[in-house]
């Protein structure tokens, strides 16, 4: 069997914060430090055979580990830059991240690191590393093993023994250990009897075109709040939509509409959307249903979206739709190029 070129290289573990590394404080859990010692200590407790086969790893701690509920697009950008800078020296990268916005970061990284030729695995935990019955060590162990799988060439989430495509994932549980799901995409891999396996034919590897050609955009060039997320509710008024869409600082919006892609029969609503589109704002709509695609036009009630120039996000997650808009708006490309790329699957997100 051919030996993968980077089989001997270690994994880089980047710690960004999250429950996995948290410690108690009088106000509740807060990010803790000294993660390398704590991780090595946890891995030393593995049964000998599993410890012996664990990939070698190095640890890099970000300057200020955070609770991921405070993450912003700037954090996504810094993380992508860190991965882009280090990835060639490592077989793969494992990112330890809070679970609350982990799917957002994974989606953003997938777009920023388009063309990736090795694994970037995000993981975290529902309980801190040192807590009784913690899921942290098992998640890290699985993530390390997937991170040396050359066939895996994309951003993925490893959680509770399952490997999910990063830009297809959502946090789905507030307490259970299997906190993540990918509603419209089958698992990429799984832990089976203490071995990690990739399911054939599901990865991006066959679609990637060779060496990385990352197009890392400058998210700092966009004012904070450039993209908004709006879910419809029965009785929504056009003026409510306009309050956000008319603001000059808003350049894009994710609209969460009904069922297969419908909105209320209200010309004022369609008018508000059409005005924003006409001003060059990038608007994309997806369904409020977690499963299945949004395809406008099956019902007359969906026609207004097409008339208003709203793009269909198909079966993308809200996280992928939002981060894709942020990404495309930060690239210096024309509006029509942006619209075209939005409708094209870039990293298996739709
Ligand atoms: N609030 C935490 C965070 O996202 C939750 C977690 O990590 O599970 O950082």
């Amino acid at each position: 069997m051919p030996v993968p070129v980077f089989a001997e290289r270690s994994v880089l573990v980047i710690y960004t914060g999250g429950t996995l590394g948290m410690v108690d404080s009088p106000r509740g859990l807060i990010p803790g430090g000294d993660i390398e010692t704590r991780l090595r200590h946890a891995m030393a407790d593995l049964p000998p055979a599993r410890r012996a086969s664990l990939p070698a790893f190095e640890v890099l701690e970000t300057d200020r580990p955070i609770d991921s509920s405070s993450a912003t697009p700037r954090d996504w950008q810094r993380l992508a830059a860190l991965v882009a800078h280090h990835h060639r020296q490592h077989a793969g990268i494992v990112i330890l991240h809070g679970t609350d916005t982990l799917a957002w970061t994974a989606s953003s990284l997938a777009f920023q690191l388009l063309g990736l030729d090795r694994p970037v695995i995000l993981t975290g935990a529902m309980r801190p590393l040192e807590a009784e019955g913690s899921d942290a060590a098992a998640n890290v162990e699985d993530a390390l093993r997937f991170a040396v799988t050359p066939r895996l060439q994309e951003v993925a989430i490893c959680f509770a023994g399952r490997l999910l495509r990063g830009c297809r994932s959502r946090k789905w549980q507030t307490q259970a250990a299997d906190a993540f799901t990918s509603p419209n995409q089958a698992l990429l891999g799984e832990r089976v009897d203490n071995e990690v396996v990739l399911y054939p034919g599901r990865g991006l590897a066959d679609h990637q075109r060779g060496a990385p050609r990352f197009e890392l955009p400058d998210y700092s060039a966009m004012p904070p709040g450039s993209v908004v997320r709006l879910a419809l509710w029965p009785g929504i008024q056009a003026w409510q939509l306009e309050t956000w869409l008319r603001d000059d600082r808003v350049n894009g919006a994710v609209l969460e509409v009904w069922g297969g892609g419908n909105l209320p029969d209200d010309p004022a609503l369609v008018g508000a959307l059409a005005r924003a589109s006409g001003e060059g704002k990038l608007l994309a709509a997806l369904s409020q249903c977690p499963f299945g695609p949004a395809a406008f036009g099956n019902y007359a009630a969906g026609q207004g979206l097409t008339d208003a120039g709203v793009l269909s996000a198909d079966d993308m997650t809200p996280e992928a739709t939002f981060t894709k808009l942020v990404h495309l708006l930060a690239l210096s490309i024309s509006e029509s190029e942006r619209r075209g790329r939005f409708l094209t699957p870039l990293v298996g997100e739709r």
Side-chain angles (χ1 to χ4, degrees):
M1 228 170 75
V3 180
V5 275
F6 47 73
E8 299 305 322
R9 297 196 194 163
S10 67
V11 174
L12 179 65
V13 176
I14 302 176
Y15 171 61
T16 67
T19 297
L20 184 142
M22 286 193 180
V23 291
D24 278 324
S25 87
R27 287 166 54 82
L29 291 170
I30 53 167
D34 198 16
I35 198 72
E36 175 157 10
T37 314
R38 296 165 62 203
L39 272 183
R40 294 202 186 280
H41 191 261
M43 294 300 121
D45 281 346
L46 289 174
R50 280 179 27 215
R51 201 172 55 219
S53 64
L54 200 67
F57 64 92
E58 290 162 40
V59 182
L60 196 158
E61 197 166 313
T62 49
D63 295 345
R64 194 180 54 90
I66 57 169
D67 185 305
S68 79
S69 39
S70 298
T72 68
R74 294 296 304 281
D75 294 300
W76 306 336
Q77 183 187 13
R78 282 192 209 102
L79 201 48
L82 211 54
V83 173
H85 182 73
H86 289 282
H87 78 287
R88 284 192 192 285
Q89 291 81 51
H90 298 276
I93 309 267
V94 168
I95 298 172
L96 307 180
H97 195 285
T99 62
D100 284 343
T101 63
L102 191 144
W104 296 77
T105 300
S107 301
S108 173
L109 289 180
F111 296 118
Q112 294 186 77
L113 301 173
L114 184 150
L116 192 66
D117 64 356
R118 62 200 71 202
V120 170
I121 316 283
L122 290 98
T123 194
M126 299 305 278
R127 313 201 53 196
L129 205 45
E130 290 84 5
E132 184 80 27
S134 171
D135 52 338
N139 284 346
V140 173
E141 181 190 353
D142 292 343
L144 286 169
R145 295 190 193 283
F146 276 121
V148 290
T149 312
R151 195 75 199 128
L152 185 65
Q153 299 180 2
E154 61 185 286
V155 177
I157 293 179
C158 177
F159 220 88
R162 305 186 311 152
L163 190 74
L164 305 100
R165 172 158 298 152
C167 59
R168 287 283 199 166
S169 305
R170 311 201 65 192
K171 185 173 178 184
W172 210 240
Q173 303 270 2
T174 57
Q175 295 189 327
D178 58 342
F180 288 86
T181 185
S182 57
N184 295 315
Q185 165 77 46
L187 293 182
L188 299 181
E190 230 165 335
R191 178 182 3 95
V192 181
D193 296 336
N194 292 324
E195 300 277 335
V196 296
V197 293
L198 286 184
Y199 292 120
R202 294 193 189 165
L204 264 191
D206 299 329
H207 312 285
Q208 303 280 20
R209 278 166 258 144
R213 49 192 160 76
F214 307 143
E215 218 175 336
L216 294 181
D218 184 7
Y219 290 175
S220 67
M222 296 204 304
S226 289
V227 179
V228 297
R229 176 185 180 187
L230 284 158
L232 294 187
W233 63 91
I236 184 172
Q237 298 298 301
W239 63 264
Q240 292 173 309
L241 207 56
E242 285 188 325
T243 304
W244 282 11
L245 294 184
R246 274 189 179 246
D247 195 305
D248 288 344
R249 291 166 294 185
V250 171
N251 298 314
V254 177
L255 305 170
E256 296 183 24
V257 301
W258 309 131
N262 303 316
L263 84 168
D265 179 19
D266 176 356
L269 272 186
V270 177
L273 295 173
R275 198 171 307 113
S277 278
E279 287 168 0
K281 302 191 179 190
L282 210 52
L283 309 183
L286 54 90
S287 176
Q288 292 187 16
C289 303
F291 294 92
F296 322 151
N298 286 343
Y299 292 86
Q303 200 55 51
L305 290 165
T306 312
D307 295 344
V310 177
L311 301 167
S312 168
D314 199 340
D315 62 352
M316 287 167 75
T317 61
E319 292 85 343
T321 309
F322 186 97
T323 55
K324 192 172 184 179
L325 289 184
V326 169
H327 185 69
L328 293 176
L329 285 164
L331 293 174
S332 30
I333 51 177
S334 68
E335 189 189 332
S336 71
E337 178 69 16
R338 263 187 207 120
R339 294 177 71 87
R341 287 200 203 181
F342 184 83
L343 295 170
T344 308
L346 301 179
V347 283
E349 76 280 11
R350 60 185 291 155

